[in-house]
Amino acid sequence: MDMKKVVAFKVLLVLALTMASTSCKKSSSSKNSSRATGWQINSREGGFQYNTDYKEQETSPGLVFIEGGTFTKGRVQDDVMHDWNNSPTQQHVQSFYMDETEVTNAMYMEYLDWIKRVYPPSEENFRAIYDGALPDTLVWRNRLGFNEVMTENYLRHPGYGEYPVVGVNWIQAVEFANWRSDRVNEYNLERAGYLKRDAKILDVNAESTFSTDTYINAPTLTYGGNEEVINGDGRNRRNVRVDADGNESNIYATRETGIISPKYRLPTETEWEYAALGLSEIRDYNLYRGRKKYPWDGQYTRSGKRKIRGDQLANFKQGKGDYGGIAGWSDDGADITNAVKSYDPNDFGLYDMAGNVAEWVADVYRPIIDDDFNDFNYYRGNVYTKNALNEDGTVKVVTADDIVYDTLPNGKVIARNLPGEIAQVPIDENETYLRTNFDKSDEINFRDGDRRSSRYFENFNVDDEEVGEEKKNSYTSKMYNSPKHKVTRDSLGNIIREYDRGNNRTSLINDEVRVYKGGSWKDREYWLDPAQRRYFPQDMATDYIGFRCAMSRVGSKSKTKTKTKN
């Protein structure tokens, strides 16, 4: 054989083997081939279905991305108010998302409109649902002030549409976040073709609402499990998958699809403070260690930029009888609240993290941050629950007849659950047995206020259940000895209020007071510092506390960055 032909043949053979080897490597590392078993994922024949094309979490409506990291929580300057409740601690926060602005009147009105359509207040069984969601517009009243224009107009008039909603208590803020989660996920599923188009507005009523948790755990019961006959096949008309050809199938989205987003919620105190400081572009060592005073750079509330030098950077009370400055000069642009985005954002792109309104956060208030036990995603307020089950093992979905109403200490009535949601019960020994990370359902008082950590400073071994009321009240130095107001109902349903007028109560702190952060239009400059922390009863509202929502991030710590081509 000619040597040239032999050489050419060998070259071709090497190339063929190389291509075969490369082909084998690609095949074995295919994203649709399991690295555990070699089985095909997402095959037409069925089996394990998983979104192998998932890139990263999509930013949900209204939110901006906050990349997590470490920071110094609390103040390092002297505490002139002598609260001593914000001692500096080093904390690490996971990446998350937060509303770029406070929730506005227009946003909250959309929520009220939905409730009014789905749970008409004209129906006796639903009246308390709508009434319980209404902001308290009377918070604007003052015994020696004329503020009726705000009482009558602030919530509903379009002139205040982009102003932050106030008069909302902590419980109402949490319910708004839950509602928002369901509406956004409902839209996501509809957009992805897992729900009928416009399913969210087709005959929406109390018996046919969408709940994210219900969809995940019992998708056939979504929208109340209502069925209509389609081509002779009984099927929930709204809860169906529609393919590219318009064909329907009983395929439901699961968490594995990546379509269902985490829930909107209130930010934790640690998340809020970290986001408010806006440390994303800070490289100065002292600022990193906690010496940044405001959400903006510098030690003053006025701008130092040439074009706007002297302008106020936030909406706050500048002095006694001075809520905005002299008209036309040195004015912060508002006397009460101001429209969102009226002032520059911080480095994370968040508006009004100082001034305008203070904001509810998720935490139960305690004077001390227990960083010795945990310095990662710190939060006090965990109450763990699980899905209630029927006798046949299926989840129990709340119906219009199962709504439970709670009467708050201030006499207001709220719905504990809504139709379409899965009923919740406290976790029990089945979840806590031999665990080391938690041991009961309610962990609010962990290491602070429960029997293992609280004490009477004058008598160490006294328990409320072991002594009479009179003797118990004599121990005035008990930790968190707060007033205990009672609200009950008689046989006719009338509210009976019992106000605790005892003179031996030593604190207003209990498990129903929540932290709120940030200064407001009604506060002096001192409270604009993101490290400042105050508390207020979770069932009460004011004209200076609003809120914004947050959402956890799943997956990578940082957002995917597009690589630049050379």
Side-chain angles (χ1 to χ4, degrees), residues 32-104:
N32 285 325
S33 178
S34 169
R35 286 189 292 164
T37 63
W39 293 7
Q40 287 297 303
I41 301 174
N42 301 320
S43 64
R44 293 183 179 181
E45 291 74 19
F48 182 45
Q49 301 293 312
Y50 198 75
N51 185 358
T52 55
D53 292 323
Y54 186 81
K55 296 297 187 295
E56 67 173 6
Q57 182 175 345
E58 181 180 342
T59 303
S60 295
L63 304 178
V64 295
F65 175 68
I66 310 295
E67 183 173 342
T70 185
F71 81 113
T72 301
K73 175 182 169 69
R75 288 175 60 88
V76 294
Q77 294 93 346
D78 290 336
D79 190 343
V80 299
M81 299 294 289
H82 302 292
D83 287 330
W84 306 117
N85 66 351
N86 54 2
S87 299
T89 66
Q90 196 71 19
Q91 298 284 334
H92 191 98
V93 183
Q94 273 189 299
S95 297
F96 63 103
Y97 297 85
M98 181 178 276
D99 272 334
E100 65 173 347
T101 72
E102 294 120 346
V103 172
T104 64

Side-chain angles (χ1 to χ4, degrees), residues 137 140 146-155 160 336 521:
T137 58
W140 289 105
F146 180 71
N147 299 326
E148 289 305 292
V149 64
M150 277 87 78
T151 299
E152 297 170 356
N153 294 284
Y154 184 82
L155 173 64
Y160 292 117
I336 55 168
W521 66 273

